[in-house]
Amino acid sequence: MGGRGRNEMKLCKKLNLLLDLSMKKLQLLLIALITLSLSAQENIKYQKPSKEILSLVEFERPPSVLYDEQKNYMVFIYRDNYKSISDLSEKELRLGGLRINPKTNIGSRVTFYNNVKIKNLKERKGTVNQVKGLPENPKLSNFSWSPDQTKIALTNTTSEGVELWMLDLEKGEVSKLTKPNLNANIGSVINWSGDSMSMLVKMISTDKKPLINTSLIVPDGPTVSTNFGEKAQNRTYQDLLKNKSDEHNFEQLATSAIYKIYVSGDSEKWLDDAMYRNISFSPDGNYVMITQIKKPFSYLVTYSRFPTKTDIYTKEGGLVTNLLETPLIEELPKGFMATTKGKRSFSWRSDKAATLIYVEALDGGDPANIVDYRDEVFELEAPFSGEGKSLIKLINRYAGIDWANENLAIAYDRWWNTRNTKAYSFNPSTNNDSPKTVYDRNYQDAYSDPGSFLKERNNYNRSVIKLHSGRAYMRGAGFTKQGQFPFIDEVNIISFAKKRIYQSAYTDKVESIQDYDPSSKQLIVRIESPTEFPNYYSKKVNSKRLNKITGFKNPFLELQNVKKQTITYKRDDGLELSGILYLPLDYDEEKKEKRPLILWAYPREFKDRKSASQSTKNSNEFTYPYYGSMVYWVTKGYVVLDDASFPIIGEGKEQPNDNFRKQLVANGKAAIDAVDKMGYIDRSKVAIGGHSYGAFMVANLLSHSNLYAAGIARSGAYNRTLTPFGFQSEERSYWEAPNVYYTMSPFMHAEKMKTPLLLIHGEDDNNSGTYPMQSERYFNALKGLGATVRLVMLPKESHGYASKESIFHVLWEQDQWLEKYVKNKK
């Protein structure tokens, strides 16, 4: 081969080499493009947060505390920190607003306890003792004191079902009373008789039919809903019945027979099968009021508004009378204060042997009707026939009664539109005397809150107002402009003049008053500080000496040196705001290094500026981080402003949401300005976060301001046209205020999003209005418009997150997002 041939051959080899290289580059480019396109759906495993956060998340949980009114015993109940994703993955049916485990016949999202200990407070140096006889691998719930408070009934859930157990406080041991055949799906589970010797419980029907697996059903026709002109303006409820198969399953799971279970373990059938909801003994134990669910069911509302039938029985199970039949409630007048016509809210009068109380609306249940009185309260004595005797008429909607004795009771009413509440003292033995107004106030005005009446047990073992020498006692939270100082007021029950007999003086701790005994002048209090876990103490009102009852330790020692304070600042219109500020653990206040800020908040609506400006925050509370908290990030160099005030005010005829966005932005700017003025932060590195309505707030702030480097929005709603009959505190429908719905919806302004946003949502969210679809549709809109956004859907999780795997992963996601787009923002 000549030189020319060799040269051509070399040239061909070079050309082939270049072609191969080009093809490889093209292949790499295609692979990169495919990878990029797939990156929108990452299939990653559950992650754990960094060690600084993980050490705080994995802690030994102190117990919850129960104690009897005589302060004889204190019961400590223990549980794991978190459920597991396998717990949440068990079979679950969602029917009529309920979530049920169809195998065990109890709510599928119930929190279970796994240990019980007890302390005898009658002993001078009582020790905390392990309760004996607990089942293996206990899953305890439904703790219920007996009327005489010598026993506690509870349930244990096994793989087969729910058992009834009883704790004898004197013996310190539990015993099993039934097999795993309780029906704990709906309504009251344990119902003690008046003598504390037996209980009425619902047992699974022996005639229960097999449940229908709706995923295997071949439809034989469509599901049809019809309306003939009625207005059913309901919120966007979730977990509703959808078809006849759901109706069948709901009926099977709601149907029970009622059995009488004695503390000895003996039992007898008390009533035959029905869809029983609530069971309630009269104070003397001679009568039982029972409400059962009837048909027709609804596909628009939850089971609480299905038809009901309420009857009165003797304690032996004999029918006395049919008290009330309530129809299906799908249509109500518009407004949060709307209610039904006719008799409602039946309950037993606590200070009499067997007298019923009920209410009737005087405005037809329609808030739009102008009347002098909204509700009237009646009483009906045994044998519960005929019409009741009028006790009192209320200016606002009925909100309950505190009973004292035959000559004294305190009635309460409430009106949401004006945020007004009133309390009236009246003599229930006669309606000749006019009720006396005890207070008339804005219930959002925390500084004027008089507190609530202390209670004691009467001869029927029912809670009534505590009276001593013609005096009652009110316990208040004690919020003031200067701080929080809980108190006890002595109240003259004739004049209702008050005398303060005790007020906490702590300025570096929080003293929560649990109870007061006027005969011994003894207080039970709970005291905590930022580094001291809440513990219980007894003390005399005129003494500083504390007698310690519990000794719980601080499980978060890593945070004991965190600097924490309540700060106050002003919005640009002069409104005073507040928040709890945490500085990083390693922060040097002398150097004043500029650090990134995490701002966490939740908007709240007010009808007046005075209430909106008040602070109910107390930086002396124990620092107790939980999965929803951003306090963890003080360990990673962030400044955190938690629970920042985000009031939205609408005074007079103006509604708060009429200028929601403007006030929202002003609240955020005021918070950032305040912390920036203190010299702690780099205001170009501010993250904003919130959950539920707080997530809605985040999306709006990022769309309509440029104050933030990134946002975190968990379990929110972003398109208000998907909740057209009201949301949060907005009772106007979309068709009444379309501009409000449009202006407030971040989805409608997705093109304005220029800030990185992390969206997190539980795939099984059951909260009204926050469908998982809200986050999915919002993500798609933002992605289509080129925004920087990440959507994390958590399998099996509801509106709040429960499993250890999900919680750890949420913390990891937030940490990654904050590190990339806030701390290391470019």
Side-chain angles (χ1 to χ4, degrees):
M1 184 182 293
R4 182 177 176 183
R6 285 193 296 271
N7 289 336
E8 286 176 351
M9 204 170 175
K10 288 180 181 179
L11 181 60
C12 286
K13 287 182 179 179
K14 287 181 180 179
L15 287 171
N16 286 332
L17 182 60
L18 288 171
L19 184 60
D20 287 341
L21 289 171
S22 297
M23 289 299 294
K24 288 179 180 178
K25 286 181 180 179
L26 181 60
Q27 288 173 345
L28 290 172
L29 179 60
L30 286 170
I31 291 170
L33 288 171
I34 292 169
T35 303
L36 185 62
S37 68
L38 291 175
S39 66
Q41 290 82 34
E42 295 182 33
N43 295 314
I44 63 174
K45 302 295 184 183
Y46 286 112
Q47 301 293 312
K48 291 184 177 181
S50 61
K51 64 180 187 302
E52 299 93 338
I53 295 175
L54 191 61
S55 64
L56 292 169
V57 184
E58 292 184 317
F59 68 99
E60 185 175 345
R61 177 181 289 274
S64 298
V65 176
L66 308 172
Y67 55 86
D68 64 298
E69 289 191 23
Q70 295 300 319
K71 313 300 181 297
N72 291 323
Y73 298 98
M74 187 166 274
V75 180
F76 307 101
I77 55 176
Y78 299 79
R79 69 177 178 89
D80 292 333
N81 285 329
Y82 315 103
K83 292 177 179 287
S84 69
I85 197 66
S86 61
D87 293 332
L88 299 187
S89 299
E90 291 183 5
K91 178 69 174 176
E92 177 182 74
L93 291 182
R94 302 171 191 174
L95 303 166
L98 296 170
R99 293 191 169 185
I100 295 170
N101 183 320
K103 183 177 181 182
T104 56
N105 289 284
I106 193 170
S108 54
R109 305 279 169 155
V110 171
T111 295
F112 294 113
Y113 293 83
N114 56 21
N115 196 15
V116 183
K117 296 181 180 180
I118 190 169
K119 181 175 183 177
N120 190 334
L121 299 178
K122 295 178 294 184
E123 298 176 357
R124 186 174 180 84
K125 292 186 178 180
T127 57
V128 177
N129 296 311
Q130 175 65 50
V131 165
K132 295 172 286 190
L134 287 172
E136 188 177 353
N137 300 317
K139 297 175 74 173
L140 311 174
S141 60
N142 295 303
F143 291 81
S144 176
W145 289 91
S146 63
D148 64 7
Q149 296 201 314
T150 63
K151 298 175 278 290
I152 295 178
L154 60 152
T155 62
N156 177 52
T157 301
T158 71
S159 60
E160 299 302 315
V162 180
E163 306 165 332
L164 179 65
W165 288 65
M166 187 189 71
L167 167 62
D168 185 309
L169 294 166
E170 186 69 36
K171 294 179 180 178
E173 63 182 25
V174 293
S175 56
K176 186 170 77 167
L177 301 182
T178 72
K179 295 178 180 179
N181 55 354
L182 265 67
N183 188 339
N185 288 330
I186 193 169
S188 49
V189 177
I190 297 171
N191 310 276
W192 280 97
S193 62
D195 62 4
S196 299
M197 297 305 294
S198 64
M199 292 156 272
L200 293 182
V201 300
K202 290 170 285 187
M203 295 287 195
I204 298 167
S205 170
T206 55
D207 193 33
K208 180 179 177 182
K209 296 177 178 59
L211 300 179
I212 296 173
N213 186 339
T214 54
S215 65
L216 301 179
I217 292 295
V218 177
D220 59 2
T223 298
V224 178
S225 299
T226 305
N227 191 62
F228 297 103
E230 298 87 2
K231 291 183 178 180
Q233 300 187 6
N234 296 303
R235 290 284 176 116
T236 47
Y237 301 117
Q238 304 209 48
D239 299 339
L240 299 177
L241 302 181
K242 298 180 180 66
N243 49 50
K244 289 295 181 182
S245 297
D246 280 353
E247 290 191 49
H248 168 85
N249 288 344
F250 177 86
E251 184 173 4
Q252 300 312 307
L253 291 168
T255 298
S256 312
I258 298 179
Y259 278 74
K260 187 174 186 178
I261 310 297
Y262 294 90
V263 297
S264 63
D266 294 333
S267 67
E268 60 186 52
K269 192 174 187 179
W270 198 80
L271 276 185
D272 289 330
D273 289 357
M275 289 183 285
Y276 297 112
R277 183 172 159 187
N278 295 315
I279 302 172
S280 174
F281 274 94
S282 61
D284 65 1
N286 289 326
Y287 298 95
V288 187
M289 179 168 56
I290 296 180
T291 300
Q292 55 180 285
I293 296 169
K294 307 296 287 185
K295 294 180 178 179
F297 299 146
S298 172
Y299 297 177
L300 293 178
V301 295
T302 60
Y303 82 94
S304 63
R305 289 167 66 174
F306 290 179
T308 58
K309 178 173 178 280
T310 302
D311 297 312
I312 300 294
Y313 294 84
T314 65
K315 63 182 179 181
E316 291 80 20
L319 179 65
V320 176
T321 186
N322 170 237
L323 197 63
L324 179 69
E325 296 202 19
T326 303
L328 174 65
I329 305 171
E330 286 187 339
E331 299 91 26
L332 280 175
K334 193 190 77 171
F336 293 149
M337 303 312 297
T339 190
T340 56
K341 295 180 181 180
K343 298 173 183 178
R344 71 179 201 275
S345 302
F346 274 88
S347 64
W348 295 105
R349 181 170 160 177
S350 302
D351 64 321
K352 298 190 80 173
T355 297
L356 286 166
I357 302 299
Y358 66 89
V359 185
E360 288 194 58
L362 299 177
D363 58 3
D366 190 345
N369 292 333
I370 306 301
V371 294
D372 292 332
Y373 298 96
R374 294 285 177 182
D375 277 344
E376 187 170 8
V377 183
F378 299 85
E379 73 172 8
L380 185 64
E381 297 182 337
F384 318 108
S385 59
E387 294 300 313
K389 166 192 162 187
S390 176
L391 292 181
I392 187 173
K393 292 182 179 180
L394 302 171
I395 295 172
N396 296 325
R397 196 66 79 210
Y398 172 73
I401 294 179
D402 283 338
W403 302 97
N405 53 39
E406 61 181 12
N407 299 315
L408 176 65
I410 307 294
Y412 304 91
D413 66 17
R414 189 178 177 96
W415 198 250
W416 178 86
N417 306 73
T418 58
R419 311 303 197 265
N420 179 255
T421 183
K422 296 179 177 66
Y424 315 84
S425 73
F426 69 101
N427 186 341
S429 64
T430 175
N431 53 14
N432 295 328
D433 300 333
S434 298
K436 180 183 295 184
T437 300
V438 178
Y439 60 71
D440 181 351
R441 55 182 293 271
N442 182 330
Y443 60 74
Q444 289 185 316
D445 182 357
Y447 294 173
S448 71
D449 188 350
S452 57
F453 286 97
L454 291 177
K455 304 289 184 65
E456 63 184 356
R457 299 182 83 76
N458 63 8
N459 57 315
Y460 299 117
N461 282 314
R462 297 295 177 100
S463 288
V464 295
I465 294 173
K466 181 179 289 189
L467 298 176
H468 181 73
S469 302
R471 301 289 187 270
Y473 301 88
M474 296 187 78
R475 170 181 58 189
F479 287 107
T480 71
K481 191 173 180 61
Q482 291 72 40
Q484 184 183 5
F485 307 97
F487 62 83
I488 295 285
D489 280 346
E490 185 181 79
V491 183
N492 184 305
I493 61 174
I494 304 299
S495 66
F496 281 86
K498 295 178 183 178
K499 175 186 176 183
R500 186 143 300 177
I501 59 173
Y502 181 79
Q503 183 163 337
S504 177
Y506 285 109
T507 57
D508 59 344
K509 298 181 181 182
V510 181
E511 180 182 30
S512 303
I513 301 170
Q514 305 297 299
D515 199 9
Y516 171 65
D517 181 359
S519 58
S520 64
K521 300 189 182 306
Q522 189 89 1
L523 288 163
I524 298 294
V525 299
R526 193 181 70 172
I527 298 176
E528 61 189 287
S529 76
T531 59
E532 296 175 31
F533 192 86
N535 274 291
Y536 291 81
Y537 302 82
S538 63
K539 62 183 290 189
K540 295 280 189 178
V541 294
N542 55 357
S543 172
K544 294 183 178 180
R545 181 182 175 184
L546 293 171
N547 299 308
K548 196 168 188 177
I549 300 174
T550 62
F552 304 132
K553 304 298 183 184
N554 181 355
F556 307 108
L557 293 177
E558 298 93 328
L559 294 178
Q560 64 182 348
N561 295 321
V562 67
K563 297 180 179 67
K564 173 184 178 184
Q565 67 179 111
T566 301
I567 64 169
T568 57
Y569 48 94
K570 288 187 177 181
R571 204 164 74 175
D572 57 11
D573 61 357
L575 187 73
E576 192 164 280
L577 307 176
S578 61
I580 297 183
L581 183 70
Y582 298 83
L583 295 182
L585 284 177
D586 62 349
Y587 195 79
D588 188 331
E589 291 193 75
E590 292 185 3
K591 292 182 179 179
K592 283 287 178 75
E593 181 185 358
K594 305 287 188 181
R595 295 292 186 90
L597 169 68
I598 302 173
L599 174 60
W600 196 263
Y602 189 95
R604 300 188 185 278
E605 297 85 350
F606 294 86
K607 286 298 291 179
D608 70 299
R609 291 174 60 86
K610 177 186 174 185
S611 300
S613 67
Q614 295 177 352
S615 174
T616 56
K617 304 171 182 66
N618 194 332
S619 56
N620 293 323
E621 291 179 348
F622 177 69
T623 303
Y624 199 132
Y626 70 105
Y627 87 86
S629 168
M630 303 307 290
V631 175
Y632 295 115
W633 275 267
V634 299
T635 65
K636 306 206 68 177
Y638 293 82
V639 177
V640 176
L641 184 62
D642 193 31
D643 195 18
S645 299
F646 266 70
I648 309 296
I649 307 167
E651 295 187 297
K653 293 184 178 180
E654 187 180 69
Q655 296 301 315
N657 288 338
D658 290 346
N659 33 97
F660 175 86
R661 275 175 20 191
K662 179 182 177 183
Q663 294 190 63
L664 205 65
V665 173
N667 291 329
K669 182 177 183 300
I672 296 169
D673 287 346
V675 188
D676 185 29
K677 188 176 180 180
M678 298 172 80
Y680 295 139
I681 64 167
D682 177 350
R683 66 179 301 141
S684 71
K685 296 182 177 182
V686 178
I688 179 70
H691 189 95
S692 192
Y693 206 55
F696 174 72
M697 169 201 75
V698 168
N700 267 299
L701 285 170
L702 298 190
S703 299
H704 304 294
S705 69
N706 58 358
L707 300 169
Y708 307 95
I712 298 172
R714 298 196 312 241
S715 298
Y718 310 102
N719 183 351
R720 285 305 169 193
T721 67
L722 299 178
T723 57
F725 290 110
F727 58 89
Q728 199 70 5
S729 293
E730 179 56 68
E731 63 178 359
R732 294 170 294 185
S733 74
Y734 167 76
W735 295 273
E736 292 174 286
N739 188 56
V740 169
Y741 278 70
Y742 178 86
T743 303
M744 290 181 65
S745 295
F747 182 87
M748 306 304 182
H749 308 279
E751 83 283 358
K752 299 176 183 176
M753 179 64 71
K754 308 300 179 188
T755 308
L757 174 62
L758 173 62
L759 294 167
I760 302 174
H761 214 124
E763 285 186 356
D764 296 336
D765 194 330
N766 65 337
N767 186 53
S768 175
T770 55
Y771 296 113
M773 175 180 66
Q774 287 272 6
S775 287
E776 292 166 344
R777 295 286 173 85
Y778 190 40
F779 171 79
N780 289 339
L782 294 173
K783 182 172 184 276
L785 293 165
T788 300
V789 61
R790 180 178 175 88
L791 173 63
V792 180
M793 300 299 294
L794 302 171
K796 310 297 180 181
E797 294 292 350
S798 188
H799 192 61
Y801 316 143
S803 76
K804 181 176 183 178
E805 293 85 349
S806 293
I807 288 169
F808 283 14
H809 189 83
V810 165
L811 294 171
W812 177 81
E813 289 280 0
Q814 292 177 161
D815 195 33
Q816 299 295 306
W817 200 256
L818 292 167
E819 290 291 302
K820 182 174 182 178
Y821 292 110
V822 181
K823 181 185 283 188
N824 300 305
K825 174 189 173 184
K826 296 181 181 178

